[in-house]
Amino acid sequence: MANKQINGRPVAGPSQASPSDVVTAGAAARNSLLGVSCALALALGHSGVAQAQNTADNLGDEALAAQTTQAELQARIDQADDEVRQRIEALRQAEQEAQRLQSYNQALAPQLEQLKATLEQRSQGMATMAETRDALPGLLNDMTRRLDAWVDQDVPFLHGERKARVASLEASLANPELTAAEKLERVLAAWRAELDYGRDLDAWRGTLEEGDQTREVDFLRLGRVGWYYLTPDGQNGGVWDDGGWQSLSAAERDQVEKGLQIVRDQRAPELLTLPLTQPIEERS
């Protein structure tokens, strides 16, 4: 029988094997098993490391994703905080603006009430404007007639000048080129001029006619209650009373002279004692 070889060495058959050969064969078998075991261990080791590496990589990816999510969440929180702050600031500004508007409205309230009353009055005036327009020509003619009658019945100072004003006013009312507003203004101006005579003092030199006699004198007018004259030499003077001239005493002529000087700014104002052309009770 041919010899067998173990690990390159010849091994005798069963009939020829020696004890040393048996020991050597057992050792070789153990070494082979140990080698297989080491190879298996190394293979398992490499597989565990790869699995651990994969696990670590997965954990790293998850951690990175968690960090990214956290950063995005924090960014959203910060953005929401900014929006809240902006809205709070806008609300605060709106409240301040509302307070200013409320104060402004309270300040305007009296003016608005007054304006409302004015508008109501104007509305009422507009409602009657047509009637007033139609009645205006008759009203102006009536005012002119009354003014003419007043001049005729009043103290006749500056009589010619005042009658000429009335005549001019009558011509204006008959002028078709003048508007109703212009005619009204002229009538009111004539009345104002007449009313002013009762509130001022006046002195002028003019001609006095008494019968067939004409002479130059100084006239003094104290409103509508006193109308006097004095000759330049101071020897004659009179007061208009009851439709004619009444002579003045020497003391009264002195008072008229003082009055002329006062009106002409030649003397300081002082109290005068003179008879009246018309009692004050009659002018009220």
Side-chain angles (χ1 to χ4, degrees), residues 27-48:
R30 284 194 301 271
N31 290 335
S32 297
L33 182 59
L34 180 60
V36 171
S37 298
C38 289
L40 181 59
L42 287 175
L44 292 175
H46 284 296
S47 177

Side-chain angles (χ1 to χ4, degrees), residues 143 146-147 150-151 154 157 162 165 187-201 221-225 283:
M143 292 178 67
R146 292 174 58 188
L147 182 61
W150 188 6
V151 172
D154 197 18
F157 59 87
R162 296 161 69 191
R165 183 184 296 114
V187 171
L188 294 178
W191 272 96
R192 281 194 294 265
E194 281 295 327
L195 294 175
D196 287 342
Y197 287 136
R199 294 191 292 264
D200 61 4
L201 309 178
R221 180 179 60 82
L222 305 179
R224 277 191 165 85
V225 298
R283 306 306 301 171

Side-chain angles (χ1 to χ4, degrees), residues 169-189:
L169 186 58
E170 292 174 344
S172 297
L173 294 181
N175 187 354
E177 296 182 357
L178 295 178
T179 64
E182 292 173 333
K183 293 177 181 179
L184 176 60
E185 178 58 31
R186 295 192 180 190
V187 171
L188 294 178

Side-chain angles (χ1 to χ4, degrees), residues 265-278:
D265 293 329
Q266 298 173 352
R267 188 185 186 95
E270 61 178 280
L271 183 63
L272 300 177
T273 304
L274 285 168
L276 298 178
T277 294
Q278 300 185 69

Side-chain angles (χ1 to χ4, degrees), residues 187-243:
V187 171
L188 294 178
W191 272 96
R192 281 194 294 265
E194 281 295 327
L195 294 175
D196 287 342
Y197 287 136
R199 294 191 292 264
D200 61 4
L201 309 178
D202 194 11
W204 70 95
R205 178 158 291 189
T207 300
L208 177 64
E209 297 181 0
E210 289 183 310
D212 296 336
Q213 185 179 4
T214 301
R215 55 182 171 176
E216 190 177 67
V217 298
D218 291 318
F219 289 101
L220 174 65
R221 180 179 60 82
L222 305 179
R224 277 191 165 85
V225 298
W227 187 32
Y228 314 92
Y229 81 86
L230 186 66
T231 58
D233 59 8
Q235 296 302 312
N236 292 286
V239 56
W240 183 266
D241 184 22
D242 197 18

Side-chain angles (χ1 to χ4, degrees), residues 120-135:
E120 291 177 353
Q121 293 176 357
R122 291 185 178 179
S123 298
Q124 296 175 358
M126 292 291 292
T128 60
M129 182 176 292
E131 299 177 1
T132 303
R133 186 185 299 110
D134 295 339

